Amino acid sequence: MGKVKCECGHVNPRGTILCESCGRALTEEAKKENLVDMRYEGSARRSQTYNKTIIDKVWNFFSSVKVGIWIIVLILVAASFGTILPQEFYIPSNIPAETYYEDVYGTFGKFYYMIGFHDLYNSVWFIALIAALGVSLVIASLDRVIPLYRALKTQRVDRHESFMKKQRLFAEQKASLQASDLEKVREELKKKRYKIREENGALLAEKNRFTRWGPYVNHVGLIIFLFGAMLRSVQGMYIDELLWIREGETLQIPGTDGEYYVKNDGFTLENYKQGEDLEVFNEAIDRVGTVAKNYQTDAILYRDENNDLPGAEPELTEVLHDDIQVNQPMKFESFAVYQTSYRQDEMKAMHFALTNKETGEEFGEVVVDLFNQQETYDLGNGYKVELLGYYPDFDGFTKEGEPTSRSPLPNKPAFLFNMISPEKPDGEVSFVEIQNTMEPLGETMYKMKFKNLETRDVSALTIRKDLTLPILGIGGIIFMIGVIQGSYWNHRRIWIREKDGHIYIAGHTNKNWHGLKREIHAVLDGTAIPEPEDRQKD
Amino acid sequence: MSELAGISSALLYAAFILYLVGTFLFGGSIRQKGLRDGDQLNRWGKLAITVTIIGFIAQLGYFITRWAAAGHAPVSNLFEFTTFFGMMVIGAFILIFFIYKTAVLGLFALPIAIIIIAYASMFPREISPLIPALQSDWLHIHVTTAAAGQGILAISFIAGIIYLVKNIDQSISTKKTKWLEAVMFLIVSVVGFILITTGFALSDYKAEFEYVNKEDAAAVQEFNVPALVGPNEGVLITDGKMNPIVEMPAFINAKKLNTVLWSLGAGVILYVLIRLITRKRVAALLQPLVRNVSSDLLDEISYRSVLIGFPVFTLGALIFAMIWAQIAWTRFWGWDPKEVWALITFLFYAAFLHLRLSKGWHGERSAWLAVIGFGIIMFNLVAVNLVIAGLHSYA
Ligand code: HEM
C-alpha cells in the first residue's frame, strides 16, 4: 500500500524521507534541505505519515516529543507544589486536616487544603498525568524504534553522493583513493573498533549501533516501573499495617489472615553514652543532648497450625526468633516486619502493701495488674482486699462524687479498695491514686501503701507486604541499562567513497561531535583523503 | 578530638588551600584554547591540574581519616554531605578535564567547589554518631552516588555559565544580562552568607529567645547572628542583644529566615560594591577570561556532563534511595519533600535531554537549562534541608 520505490531500486514504506538503502531524498522538502535530518535516518514514522482517523490523531499527539516534554514539565511543577506545605500523611494524625492547615498556616493553609494540594500525589489529575506519561512513552517509542531499526538494518554501504553531501561532516575532493591510504584508514578504524563494510569501492565504518536502542530500552524500563506501581492497588499485592505490641504480649499479625502471631519479648532503646561510645562523638552528644543508638524489639514469630480449622483454638508453633531493628526488618514469606515507633514505660502493674497505719506493720502485698484485675486479693489470716473500682485514666469526680476515667488506657490509674482485716471484717474503703490517698467514708485503720510500679514498653511494628517490588526492581534495572547504553556510547558512522573521479567522505554521530571529529582527524592523518568539515558551527 | 579527627581536619584545610592555588594557576593558563589531539597543555595548565589533583587527594584523605575516626562514612550531616559534594564537583571536573583539556573550566569549577566547601563549614562540624535510621551501608552507597551524580551535573552548569558569560552581549542591557546577573548575585550572596556567619561566629554572638513553636509549646532558640526577624511570641532572654524588628508566625523558622535575610543583605552590599568599583556587570568582568574557549566545545562539555551525570544521579538519588527507603522506612517512596525534589531534578534533566535531542535546544538555551538544573540541585541541598523539613532534614 503506497510504497515508495527509489531510483536505486529499493522499495521503501510509505512516508519514507530518505531511501532506507542508498539514502537518496525521496520527498520534495528533503531534496531542498542543505543538511538531512538524520535523527531517525529519514525513515517512515507512522506519526508523520497518517493523520486522518481519531486513532491517527491520538497516536500523533502522544508520539510527539514536544507533548512528552510538556507532560514531564507538568508533573515536575505539580510535584513541587506538593512540597510547599506538608502532605496530609505527614501531619499529626490526631488533628483533622480540615482544621490543621488553617490553624497552622492561616489563610494560605486553608486555601491549600481547599484546592486539594494537601493530598496532591493521590489526586486524580496527578495520577492522570502519570498515566499520560506512560501512554506517551509507549507510543513515542513504538513510532520511532521500528522504522529506525529497519533503516539501520537495510542501509547500504555505497550511499548516494547526495546523501553524503547533506551530512553535517562532509568533504569532497577531485582525486582518487589510493590503495595505501585506504589500507591505513582501515587499520586505524579497526584500532578504534569500527566495523568496516566495503562494497563497490565504497567504505562504511560504523560503531556502537546498539547505543541507539538505549532510549527505547530505558523507556521500556520506565513503563515496567509504572506498571508495577499501578499494580499496587490490586487486592493482595500490597499490605501496610501498624501493630502496637506491649512487652510480653503475643498478637495476631494483621494482614496474614490469622496465620501468624508475633510476641514482643522485650523492647530496648539505647542512647549513645559518653565514655562508652567513641570519644569523637562527645562533642555532638554534648551539643544535642541525647542521640538514639538503637530501637529494638526482640520478636518471636509463631504460626497458627489450626488456622485452617474454623473455630479451633490457635495452636502456636515457633517459627523464628529475630531482633527487629530499624534497617533490619524481620522477614517471613513475603512479609517484612519493621521497627517503626515505640512508647516507653507504659504502666503495667502496681504493688501495694496492706499496712497498719499506726504500727507500720505490713500484712501481705497486692499486685494489681492494670490490664487484668482481680476482684479480691486474699492475703490469708483474715486479711483480704477487694477492688471496688478501677479507673485507668482517672479524670476526677462527677458532681455525684463518682470517680470517672477518661480512657481505658492506664495513663493515670486510680483504685477504690475495700480493706478487710480481723479488726474490721466489713472492710474500710480507701481511694488510691498515685501519690494521693483519700478516705471517702471516714478515717481508716489500714492503708494501701504504694510499693512499686511495674512498667513496660510498647513497640510499634509495621507489617508490610509488597509483591510489586520485583517488578519495580526489574523496571529499574532495565531503565539503568537503557540510560547507560544510550548515554555512554555514541553511534558513529564514516562513509568514504570514490565516484567519477571524486572522493567523498562524510561522518555522522548521534551526539558528541567533537569526539567524532577527533577520531576522523586521527584516522585520516597522513593520508590524502580530505578531512571533513563541520557545516553546522554556531 | 582524637588524633585521626585532627589529621582529617588538617587535610580538609590543605585541600581548601590547594584549590585556591589551583584557581590562580588555571587563571594563568587560560590563554590556551580547548585542546585537540596532539596538542600539549601549557605549563600553567599542567601545574594547575596537578595542584588540583593533589588537593583532591588531600580531600580524599580527609574523607578516609574521618571515616576511620567515626566508624562510618562522613556523609551523615549537612557539613559532611556538603563537603563531600564539593569534593565530587572537583572529581567530576578532573574527569571532564581529561576528556576536553579546557583550562577555563577549572577557573570556574574550582571557585564553585571552594564556595561549596566554605558553605559546608558554616554548619556544626563535629563528628556525630549515627541515629538508628542511618545505620546502614546504604547510607554510604546512596549518598555518595547521589553526590557524585550531582557533582557531574554541576560541571554542566559550570560549562553552561561560561558559555553564557562568553556569548551574552554585555554592551547593552537586556533580559539575558539581567538574568545572568541574578545568577552572579546568588553566588555573591553565598559568599555573603559565609562572611556574615564567620564574622559573628568569631565574635561569639549568641542571643537566646523563648518562643511558642508550631505545636503551641514553649521552646528556646539561639540566634548566632542578630535577629532581624524574631520567632513567634519571642522574648529575648540574653542581655544586651538586639531585639527583632519583626516577629514571624509560628510555622516559619525565624532563625533560618533571619540567616537568609542576612545573606541576601550581605550579598546586596558586596554586589553593589563590585558594581560601583568596577562600573561593570559581574558577567562583563568575567568575560575577558573566557574569550579564548570555543562555544561549541563548551556546549558539548555541558551536554556530555549531563549525559554522564544523569545515569549516576538516577542510580544514586532515586534507585539506591528507594532501596534504602524500603529497608529503613518500610516504603520505597513516601513523597517526602527531599524525595520529591530528587524526582524533580530527575524529571528536569530528562526534559533537558529530550529538548536537546528533539527540539534542537543547543548552545544558549541548553546553557540556561544547565543553569536552572543546578539551581534545582542547590535548592534541594539548601532550601529543602533547611526550610522544608522532612524526614531527611539533617539540621
Ligand atoms: C521521566 C520520563 C522519561 C525519561 C527518564 C526518559 C529518558 C530518556 C533518555 C535518557 C533518552 C535518551 C536521551 C539522549 O540520549 O540524549 C530519551 C530519549 C527519548 N525519549 Fe524519553 N524519557 C522519558 C519520557 C519520555 C516521554 C514521555 C516521551 C514521549 C514523547 C519520550 C520520548 C523520547 C524520545 C522520542 C527519545 C529519543 C529517541 C531517539 O531519538 O533515539 N521520553 N528518553
Side-chain angles (χ1 to χ4, degrees):
Chain A
M1 169 196 90
K3 305 257 184 207
V4 193
K5 189 165 172 186
C6 173
E7 282 172 58
C8 74
H10 183 77
V11 180
N12 293 285
R14 178 171 162 201
T16 307
I17 301 161
L18 304 175
C19 172
E20 292 173 334
S21 175
C22 72
R24 271 191 191 84
L26 298 177
T27 63
E28 287 309 315
E29 290 126 12
K31 282 179 189 156
K32 280 191 221 118
E33 296 279 346
N34 279 336
L35 290 179
V36 288
D37 179 358
M38 285 291 286
R39 234 178 308 137
Y40 304 103
E41 305 284 312
S43 60
R45 287 164 50 200
R46 191 188 195 286
S47 62
Q48 309 299 306
T49 314
Y50 303 96
N51 193 13
K52 288 226 180 67
T53 63
I54 287 274
I55 295 179
D56 294 342
K57 295 213 158 90
V58 171
W59 181 277
N60 296 354
F61 179 77
F62 282 111
S63 78
S64 151
V65 178
K66 193 166 146 192
V67 171
I69 295 169
W70 269 110
I71 297 174
I72 295 176
V73 170
L74 285 175
I75 295 178
L76 177 167
V77 172
S80 73
F81 290 154
T83 63
I84 300 174
L85 297 185
Q87 289 288 297
E88 191 178 17
F89 39 79
Y90 285 122
I91 67 171
S93 55
N94 54 356
I95 309 172
E98 272 134 302
T99 51
Y100 180 84
Y101 285 93
E102 187 173 359
D103 285 354
V104 180
Y105 302 103
T107 319
F108 178 74
K110 186 178 175 186
F111 179 68
Y112 196 80
Y113 176 80
M114 257 168 45
I115 54 178
F117 279 14
H118 64 293
D119 195 17
L120 187 145
Y121 305 111
N122 293 315
S123 67
V124 177
W125 59 272
F126 189 75
I127 292 170
L129 274 177
I130 308 257
L133 181 82
V135 172
S136 178
L137 274 167
V138 173
I139 294 182
S141 302
L142 284 178
D143 190 60
R144 289 167 174 81
V145 70
I146 299 165
L148 179 65
Y149 179 78
R150 268 188 63 110
L152 286 177
K153 207 171 158 190
T154 44
Q155 63 175 327
R156 264 169 49 178
V157 174
D158 51 339
R159 288 295 180 106
H160 193 253
E161 59 274 19
S162 68
F163 172 84
M164 292 176 68
K165 273 182 187 162
K166 290 180 187 176
Q167 293 298 319
R168 178 171 159 182
L169 290 187
F170 175 72
E172 176 183 359
Q173 200 173 61
K174 222 173 159 163
S176 59
L177 282 172
Q178 302 300 316
S180 60
D181 279 357
L182 260 184
E183 191 45 45
K184 171 148 193 304
V185 165
R186 262 185 226 117
E187 217 162 89
E188 284 296 319
L189 285 170
K190 269 193 202 127
K191 253 193 240 158
K192 298 194 183 303
R193 299 219 199 89
Y194 278 86
K195 287 196 197 84
I196 300 172
R197 285 162 61 199
E198 288 182 77
E199 268 168 35
N200 307 329
L203 179 147
L204 164 61
E206 180 175 12
K207 75 172 175 190
N208 302 337
R209 193 195 287 176
F210 75 95
T211 184
R212 293 295 286 272
W213 319 127
Y216 309 105
V217 173
N218 89 45
H219 290 167
V220 167
L222 277 176
I223 293 162
I224 295 176
F225 189 94
L226 290 178
F227 174 76
M230 203 182 69
L231 271 189
R232 209 175 227 234
S233 46
V234 173
Q235 265 289 316
M237 294 296 275
Y238 180 75
I239 283 168
D240 175 17
E241 302 276 358
L242 187 68
L243 180 69
W244 283 93
I245 184 167
R246 302 188 166 88
E247 283 178 311
E249 259 179 345
T250 305
L251 296 177
Q252 207 178 69
I253 302 183
T256 61
D257 296 325
E259 189 179 350
Y260 286 97
Y261 285 73
V262 65
K263 176 172 185 195
N264 176 350
D265 208 17
F267 175 83
T268 329
L269 164 64
E270 262 180 289
N271 289 321
Y272 285 94
K273 288 198 200 76
Q274 303 207 0
E276 217 166 271
D277 290 296
L278 287 180
E279 194 191 325
V280 285
F281 296 156
N282 289 355
E283 204 183 328
I285 297 173
D286 273 344
R287 189 172 64 86
V288 211
T290 48
V291 183
K293 185 177 180 180
N294 184 23
Y295 308 115
Q296 172 173 327
T297 304
D298 299 333
I300 305 173
L301 179 73
Y302 299 99
R303 229 177 82 94
D304 174 12
E305 301 301 336
N306 287 346
N307 188 36
D308 295 336
L309 306 173
E313 281 288 300
E315 186 194 326
L316 301 184
T317 52
E318 191 179 313
V319 183
L320 169 72
H321 250 273
D322 199 3
D323 312 334
I324 305 177
Q325 296 175 332
V326 181
N327 271 310
Q328 281 164 35
M330 171 171 82
K331 294 194 175 154
F332 63 95
E333 284 187 24
S334 50
F335 288 92
V337 180
Y338 296 85
Q339 181 69 54
T340 307
S341 182
Y342 65 92
R343 210 169 43 229
Q344 269 194 305
D345 298 332
E346 188 185 77
M347 292 183 228
K348 175 179 187 293
M350 288 173 103
H351 295 227
F352 299 96
L354 180 64
T355 312
N356 185 312
K357 275 199 209 162
E358 211 164 297
T359 63
E361 198 182 342
E362 295 180 1
F363 298 91
E365 204 171 280
V366 169
V367 181
V368 185
D369 185 325
L370 300 178
F371 292 84
N372 184 17
Q373 311 84 33
Q374 286 163 244
E375 263 170 44
T376 54
Y377 298 83
D378 199 340
L379 301 173
N381 303 331
Y383 292 95
K384 194 159 96 176
V385 175
E386 291 173 347
L387 184 60
L388 301 178
Y390 168 51
Y391 313 95
D393 199 358
F394 178 62
D395 193 27
F397 298 91
T398 61
K399 271 197 216 101
E400 292 75 38
E402 278 293 317
T404 57
S405 180
R406 190 188 334 223
S407 75
L409 292 178
N411 294 329
K412 194 169 174 255
F415 312 85
L416 195 60
F417 290 116
N418 190 26
M419 303 170 287
I420 295 166
S421 54
E423 297 92 333
K424 306 271 180 185
D426 288 340
E428 302 173 298
V429 173
S430 171
F431 183 81
V432 181
E433 55 175 320
I434 296 174
Q435 314 217 336
N436 185 22
T437 301
M438 274 184 273
E439 289 156 4
L441 303 181
E443 182 139 2
T444 57
M445 190 173 159
Y446 286 85
K447 68 171 181 182
M448 296 297 283
K449 186 172 162 201
F450 174 76
K451 299 291 279 192
N452 70 353
L453 176 68
E454 277 176 48
T455 63
R456 59 184 171 181
D457 299 337
V458 197
S459 174
L461 302 176
T462 292
I463 291 97
R464 176 82 65 169
K465 170 169 121 174
D466 192 344
L467 296 182
T468 67
L469 291 180
I471 302 174
L472 300 175
I474 289 169
I477 290 170
I478 294 178
F479 175 80
M480 277 317 297
I481 292 174
V483 256
I484 290 172
Q485 178 181 352
S487 306
Y488 292 174
W489 289 270
N490 330 121
H491 176 217
R492 293 176 178 174
R493 276 173 294 173
I494 301 166
W495 296 273
I496 304 175
R497 160 163 212 202
E498 185 192 326
K499 200 175 175 196
D500 305 331
H502 286 251
I503 300 179
Y504 298 95
I505 176 164
H508 180 263
T509 176
N510 62 336
K511 54 183 63 134
N512 191 8
W513 292 79
H514 270 269
L516 177 63
K517 283 188 245 174
R518 266 188 271 176
E519 219 161 55
I520 293 182
H521 177 77
V523 166
L524 298 181
D525 206 27
T527 70
I529 303 171
E531 197 169 323
E533 260 175 70
D534 188 347
R535 300 186 297 161
Q536 193 192 296
K537 275 226 154 103
D538 5 42
Chain B
M1 206 192 276
S2 78
E3 201 178 327
L4 260 183
I7 296 174
S8 177
S9 309
L11 281 171
L12 182 61
Y13 197 66
F16 190 84
I17 303 290
L18 283 165
Y19 296 154
L20 272 176
V21 174
T23 306
F24 287 106
L25 292 174
F26 273 118
S29 73
I30 51 166
R31 261 150 227 277
Q32 196 158 23
K33 300 182 184 187
L35 298 178
R36 306 187 57 140
D37 274 358
D39 292 355
Q40 290 290 311
L41 269 179
N42 64 20
R43 203 179 308 151
W44 284 91
K46 273 188 196 152
L47 202 58
I49 190 67
T50 310
V51 168
T52 309
I53 291 173
I54 297 174
F56 183 74
I57 293 171
Q59 198 174 355
L60 211 57
Y62 140 82
F63 186 76
I64 294 167
T65 44
R66 192 170 166 106
W67 187 330
H72 59 81
V75 286
S76 67
N77 60 31
L78 211 48
F79 161 71
E80 291 177 342
F81 175 76
T82 313
T83 312
F84 184 75
F85 172 56
M87 178 163 111
M88 287 295 104
V89 171
I90 298 282
F93 159 69
I94 294 172
L95 174 83
I96 301 285
F97 184 85
F98 278 103
I99 304 180
Y100 291 103
K101 312 261 168 58
T102 330
V104 67
L105 205 60
L107 188 58
F108 283 72
L110 264 54
I112 296 283
I114 289 170
I115 292 176
I116 291 171
I117 295 169
Y119 171 79
S121 312
M122 300 300 114
F123 297 95
R125 262 174 289 175
E126 76 259 344
I127 295 181
S128 29
L130 293 182
I131 58 165
L134 295 181
Q135 293 165 12
S136 165
D137 286 336
W138 286 103
L139 167 69
H140 314 151
I141 300 169
H142 155 61
V143 179
T144 52
T145 324
Q150 292 175 333
I152 303 169
L153 292 172
I155 300 300
S156 141
F157 155 75
I158 287 159
I161 202 91
I162 299 174
Y163 187 100
L164 295 174
V165 167
K166 177 171 181 221
N167 288 296
I168 288 178
D169 182 2
Q170 292 289 349
S171 63
I172 42 167
S173 169
T174 58
K175 240 200 237 159
K176 289 177 190 171
T177 58
K178 293 204 174 84
W179 278 112
L180 191 56
E181 283 312 285
V183 176
M184 296 297 164
F185 168 72
L186 282 179
I187 297 174
V188 170
S189 295
V190 179
V191 176
F193 167 78
I194 294 165
L195 294 178
I196 289 290
T197 314
T198 313
F200 282 107
L202 288 178
S203 71
D204 205 20
Y205 188 93
K206 282 193 182 99
E208 278 195 322
F209 288 87
E210 267 174 1
Y211 74 110
V212 178
N213 70 13
K214 210 163 65 171
E215 281 76 39
D216 252 345
V220 175
Q221 202 168 34
E222 185 186 281
F223 281 55
N224 301 106
V225 291
L228 301 171
V229 292
N232 182 38
E233 298 178 35
V235 180
L236 183 64
I237 49 178
T238 315
D239 281 342
K241 300 296 176 186
M242 193 178 118
N243 257 309
I245 304 167
V246 202
E247 183 178 291
M248 288 293 118
F251 67 88
I252 290 180
N253 186 328
K255 181 177 172 179
K256 287 168 181 171
L257 179 66
N258 189 53
T259 311
V260 171
L261 290 179
W262 271 99
S263 313
L264 290 180
V268 169
I269 294 172
L270 278 178
Y271 182 82
V272 169
L273 275 179
I274 297 173
R275 292 291 296 261
L276 283 179
I277 294 170
T278 63
R279 313 229 134 245
K280 273 188 180 161
R281 288 186 206 101
V282 175
L285 280 176
L286 298 173
Q287 205 169 34
L289 298 175
V290 303
R291 203 164 278 148
N292 270 329
V293 63
S294 132
S295 299
D296 232 20
L297 185 66
L298 286 171
D299 183 54
E300 184 159 322
I301 293 175
S302 179
Y303 180 40
R304 193 84 190 278
S305 317
V306 176
L307 279 175
I308 300 176
F310 181 71
V312 179
F313 177 81
T314 308
L315 188 68
L318 291 174
I319 297 189
F320 289 160
M322 286 192 220
I323 296 176
W324 188 19
Q326 180 71 30
I327 299 170
W329 294 329
T330 82
R331 84 289 181 288
F332 64 91
W333 192 259
W335 298 106
D336 171 74
K338 188 100 187 176
E339 289 171 356
V340 175
W341 279 93
L343 176 70
I344 289 174
T345 312
F346 167 81
L347 290 173
F348 179 84
Y349 281 102
F352 176 113
L353 289 173
H354 289 90
L355 280 167
R356 251 196 104 100
L357 206 77
S358 80
K359 299 269 112 200
W361 281 30
H362 296 245
E364 201 172 305
R365 288 177 173 202
S366 173
W368 281 116
L369 287 181
V371 171
I372 297 170
F374 185 69
I376 295 176
I377 291 177
M378 291 322 287
F379 184 82
N380 201 0
L381 185 68
V382 179
V384 176
N385 271 330
L386 297 183
V387 184
I388 311 176
L391 296 171
H392 273 84
S393 160
Y394 291 126

